[in-house]
Amino acid sequence: MLSPETLQALLHFRRERDWEQFHSPRNLAIAIAVEAGELLEQFQWMKDGESRPTAAQRDALELEMADVAILLSYLAADLDVDLDAAVRRKLAVNAGRYPVAKARGSAVKYDAL
């Protein structure tokens, strides 16, 4: 989650450039999906068993992660969604769906536990 100061800096950056006109919820959701694809691209040619980026890949990964976070922050701000509260609520939902006794060490979806 972003600090309130960082969020305000992002919103100021966007407002100064008059980009709100391009940031409908639909367009932001599409942009998030595109940027998530660019994040995934950083892992595209890793060998089987590799899960950690090299030092050279890390900078690109951080920038792609930032793009996703920025766009998600714009969407949340525009829709008056408290991301921190939404994440805590989802964590509670997932705790019910994935009780430790059944889910520990398992990648099975909650409806198949």
Side-chain angles (χ1 to χ4, degrees):
M1 300 302 148
L2 300 179
S3 70
E5 296 81 17
T6 301
L7 178 58
Q8 289 309 309
L10 283 174
L11 295 174
H12 177 74
F13 178 90
R14 180 175 72 164
R15 195 169 29 257
E16 276 188 322
R17 288 153 181 82
D18 191 26
W19 286 352
E20 292 100 332
Q21 64 180 312
F22 308 116
H23 290 179
S24 68
R26 175 186 169 275
N27 286 344
L28 287 169
I30 290 169
I32 290 166
V34 169
E35 292 299 338
E38 291 179 11
L39 175 62
L40 185 58
E41 184 180 24
Q42 300 302 313
F43 294 95
Q44 184 173 9
W45 300 115
M46 282 188 173
K47 295 176 184 170
D48 290 342
E50 286 181 324
S51 62
R52 294 294 222 178
T54 64
Q57 292 168 315
R58 186 165 175 92
D59 185 56
L61 276 170
E62 288 181 8
L63 293 175
E64 295 302 340
M65 291 170 69
D67 285 340
V68 172
I70 289 166
L71 291 164
L72 184 59
S73 296
Y74 286 153
L75 183 60
D78 292 351
L79 297 178
D80 295 321
V81 171
D82 178 339
L83 274 179
D84 188 65
V87 167
R88 282 186 273 114
R89 190 176 89 203
K90 183 63 175 184
L91 183 58
V93 167
N94 284 347
R97 288 179 175 171
Y98 298 96
V100 174
K102 290 183 178 181
R104 184 172 176 80
S106 173
V108 174
K109 189 174 176 185
Y110 68 89
D111 60 357
L113 283 175

